[in-house]
Amino acid sequence: MTLLDGITARLLPTDRLAVNVLERQGDSPGGIPVLLVHGNVSSALFWQELMLRLPANYRVIAVDLRGFGETDPAPVDATRGLGDFSDDLAATREALGLASVHLVGWSMGGGVVMQYALEHPARSITLQAPVPPYGFGGTAGPEGRRLTDDDAGCGGGGVNPDFVARLRAGDRSAEAPTSPLNVYRSAYVHAGFSSPLEGVWVDSMLSTRTGDDHYPGDSVPSDNWPGFAAGKRGIANAMAPGYFNVGALAGLAEKPPVLWIRGDADAIVSDASFFDVNQLGKAGIIPGWPGEDVAPPQPMVTQTRALLEEYAAAGGSSREVVLPNCGHSPHLEYPAEFLAELTAHIEAAEGAH
């Protein structure tokens, strides 16, 4: 691990597995608790700059999810959706001695946070470029209508095998479009963004454990285009719509306030995501696309907005912030703007707590 000055790491025993947590030196155990949850192909290392910038009266903790960073590499049961991660998060909170926390989830971590909120209280929720609430790929319409019974085109079979091989090999080069460094530059951040800590972020990506039980997971054949469907193991399958659906959020009796913050140039989560197999088919990159009626691209942003509008109509509070010329990582790309939005959100929730 590459830790910045002021950040420490420890392996925390829980009743499920040993979880690696990053903490900020000098934080008071009684500070306002903020739990940061990273996304897919990353780790807690990505949060370090934000951790150091948050107010001194916060207790800031970033966790490595299972199969990432230094946390135990326990297998992921995809048929539980993001439930393995959510249960691990609850066990981590309990081991830290915290009754409730402010949750910040990025990308897949946003899905983990939403799943967690269905089962546990939270002081507030911040969703940064979150996975859509009805799974990643394979759904249509703002309501998240599932396209096929087997989630064709979703899960581990849709992940580029050369990218996985380069993760496994620890490739830090820029020699191929599928190298982790180039995927970071082309998908995690907006064009032209640079950071002196780029090597740390690549180290974080390379901490991803690969294989059928981890990333990307297994795959099964399908009679539906494009010929594969979600398996039952591993991380990419855990976000398939047949396994992951947090549409019940709008029905929560106690609704924590939600901040949704995203970039308008996000290549991963958008209504025209090039990480969606159906979008690739529509663009002619994958041959044989059966058309909009059968395999429409997923309206990812529209689905999240529709759910949060329903959440607000049912008595909750939600706010959408869109940062211009920003990719998938607002906290890296526009740290001052992200910090201001996050702290205002947390302070408002604390005032109402």
Side-chain angles (χ1 to χ4, degrees):
M1 286 188 298
T2 307
L3 298 178
L4 304 186
D5 289 344
I7 301 295
T8 62
R10 62 180 169 124
L11 206 57
L12 179 72
T14 78
D15 62 7
R16 289 176 56 79
L17 76 173
V19 176
N20 188 59
V21 296
L22 303 189
E23 296 168 294
R24 186 173 59 174
Q25 290 176 344
D27 279 2
S28 166
I32 297 171
V34 181
L35 205 56
L36 305 171
V37 186
H38 66 82
N40 196 6
V41 192
S42 64
S43 73
L45 294 178
F46 265 99
W47 291 117
Q48 293 183 89
E49 287 183 306
L50 175 65
M51 294 174 72
L52 294 171
R53 291 185 175 110
L54 283 166
N57 63 328
Y58 287 19
R59 181 184 179 188
V60 189
I61 301 141
V63 301
D64 281 341
L65 298 174
R66 64 168 63 196
F68 300 95
E70 302 298 318
T71 288
D72 284 353
V76 175
D77 179 357
T79 67
R80 301 191 65 229
L82 296 175
D84 278 349
F85 298 117
S86 172
D87 289 349
D88 293 347
L89 192 63
T92 303
R93 174 188 55 75
E94 291 169 4
L96 290 165
L98 299 171
S100 66
V101 294
H102 297 276
L103 292 164
V104 182
W106 173 33
S107 195
M108 183 184 77
V112 174
V113 163
M114 288 188 277
Q115 182 66 49
Y116 175 99
L118 290 177
E119 301 157 353
H120 307 280
R123 296 195 191 190
S124 75
I125 293 172
T126 298
L127 304 173
Q128 177 182 236
V131 60
Y134 308 112
F136 196 88
T139 63
E143 76 285 2
R145 174 177 58 85
R146 201 167 162 215
L147 295 175
T148 65
D149 290 340
D150 63 354
D151 295 330
C154 299
V159 176
N160 188 304
D162 190 63
F163 174 59
V164 177
R166 290 175 181 277
L167 283 175
R168 186 180 298 118
D171 181 6
R172 289 178 169 80
S173 76
E175 68 180 21
T178 50
S179 75
L181 174 58
N182 282 331
V183 170
Y184 160 80
R185 289 174 174 171
S186 63
Y188 284 43
V189 295
H190 67 270
F193 175 79
S194 64
S195 167
L197 296 175
E198 190 175 67
V200 179
W201 313 148
V202 173
D203 287 346
S204 179
M205 296 171 71
L206 291 173
S207 77
T208 303
R209 181 169 289 258
T210 59
D212 285 352
D213 284 323
H214 299 99
Y215 181 78
D218 62 344
S219 180
V220 298
S222 173
D223 292 333
N224 300 301
W225 185 87
F228 68 87
K232 295 183 177 181
R233 300 157 61 195
I235 292 158
N237 294 312
M239 291 179 279
Y243 304 140
F244 174 70
N245 185 322
V246 291
L249 270 177
L252 283 179
E254 298 293 329
K255 295 182 174 66
V258 176
L259 169 65
W260 173 28
I261 185 164
R262 63 183 184 86
D264 69 352
D266 191 336
I268 298 175
V269 177
S270 78
D271 283 359
S273 168
F274 272 81
F275 285 72
D276 178 1
V277 167
N278 290 352
Q279 178 64 34
L280 295 178
K282 181 178 180 179
I285 297 170
I286 297 178
W289 182 59
E292 290 273 0
D293 291 342
V294 176
Q298 182 184 15
M300 299 180 181
V301 170
T302 296
Q303 289 177 353
T304 298
R305 183 178 296 117
L307 177 61
L308 292 180
E309 287 176 350
E310 185 182 354
Y311 187 86
S317 166
S318 74
R319 186 165 62 93
E320 177 183 359
V321 175
V322 183
L323 298 179
N325 190 35
C326 179
H328 191 58
S329 314
H331 75 292
L332 297 182
E333 300 167 73
Y334 294 96
E337 291 83 350
F338 184 86
L339 180 67
E341 295 291 352
L342 176 61
T343 53
H345 178 61
I346 290 173
E347 297 299 333
E350 281 293 300
H353 190 61

